[in-house]
């Protein structure tokens, strides 16, 4: 039966383009995540998607374009999941907590997306690494806004403006690196992961915000 | 005068191989860091090193091998700088502080090394990304040992064993991401950078070690 659906041009035509593209991208993310960019074959993607190769080329382009489309879609979904997760009317620590929960929740649910976004895109490099950099910049901007607004609430806006973006870069790097570690240690739950990072980071943010500092006890 | 030195095969022969290789690698790191892997030319590396192209090929191989040699040398220097910087007989927070100071001190002094190690190697991807991964694993191992020994001192060895490697991965990611941010914000000093990260991170580590935890105030 599946064969018939796949091979029938009439049925293929009945599906709207958006649905077709989703089928192709879902299949491509699965195949890229499993085999890596270089080893993934358009034949397998076509087979998994149930969409002919000429149709894939016509809708989303050849392999390189298809991979870029995958990265952009997954990056957009990840950012949206995190942004949706953050509740703007709760205290800053809870905002960060919800953001981290959403991030690790996304990675847990869409492990293939994260593999493509992080491991595959960085391993292949070139234009793909640029796409991941763009995602990272947006994430840093999001966290930076959170730090700066937390600082402003405490009357330390200037201090938070000065170090906020750097601290946000550090936090995003920490979250990303821990998610990467998680791919090989998936016995730990996403909630535990988020609370590790929260415990590691939050008091530090709070300190910045409270104006307390750690100082070396000797030089 | 320089021209004469470069062009004279007799002078070239007088230098020991190790000295030659150092000249080549110094030049290659400078050229790769400036132009990126793809745009860097062996002609320019040969010119900057004052070593003929055939001699470069014979000593260190073609462009891809040469780039791998660069990454390995710089990774080794960076790790050694950090390991040397850590004083094993001081409290764990001071060990981490010295490690971070050494890391950012290295990045400040050898900006080209860091650019090649981080930006170039990751942008090009392929086998180079694997080399950077190997460096990251060694750094995580180093920090993990520090966290676990700090936990053991406080009688919380088991807890530190459970989360130590994940926290170390987070810290290494934070340090790396902040160093990357620093490439575009080099008006901040290396000491300030290390203290930002120390403030962000240390209380979190300490908390783990003390057994205190941050908990969400609502779900």
């Amino acid at each position: 039966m599946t064969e018939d659906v796949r091979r029938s041009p009439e049925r293929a035509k009945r599906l709207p383009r958006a649905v077709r593209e989703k089928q192709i991208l879902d299949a491509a993310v699965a195949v890229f995540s499993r085999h890596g960019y270089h080893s993934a074959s358009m034949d397998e993607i076509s087979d998994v998607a149930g969409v002919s190769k000429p149709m894939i080329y016509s809708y989303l382009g050849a392999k390189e374009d298809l991979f870029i489309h995958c990265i952009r879609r997954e990056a957009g979904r990840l950012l949206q999941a995190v942004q949706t997760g953050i509740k703007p009317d709760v205290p800053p620590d809870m905002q960060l907590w919800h953001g981290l929960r959403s991030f690790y929740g996304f990675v847990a649910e869409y492990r293939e997306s994260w593999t493509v976004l992080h491991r595959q895109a960085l391993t292949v490099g070139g234009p793909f690494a640029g796409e991941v950099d763009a995602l990272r910049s947006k994430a840093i901007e999001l966290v930076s806004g959170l730090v700066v607004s937390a600082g402003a609430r405490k009357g330390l806006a200037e201090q938070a403006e000065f170090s906020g973006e750097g601290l946000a870069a550090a936090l995003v790097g920490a979250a990303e690196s821990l998610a990467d570690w998680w791919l090989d240690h998936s016995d730990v739950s996403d909630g535990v992961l988020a609370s590790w990072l929260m415990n590691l980071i939050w008091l530090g943010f709070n300190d910045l915000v409270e104006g307390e500092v750690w100082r070396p006890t000797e030089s």
Side-chain angles (χ1 to χ4, degrees), chain A residues 59-77:
Chain A
Y59 278 9
L60 293 167
K63 195 171 166 186
E64 182 170 330
D65 287 329
L66 184 57
F67 193 52
I68 291 270
H69 280 293
C70 287
I71 295 174
R72 286 193 187 148
R73 187 184 73 162
E74 302 313 313
R77 291 168 75 184

Side-chain angles (χ1 to χ4, degrees), chain A residues 150-151 154 156 159 203-213:
Chain A
K154 302 265 180 182
L156 292 158
Q159 192 179 341
L203 286 176
F205 268 123
N206 216 29
D207 252 36
L208 161 92
V209 166
E210 300 289 353
E212 290 169 26
V213 285

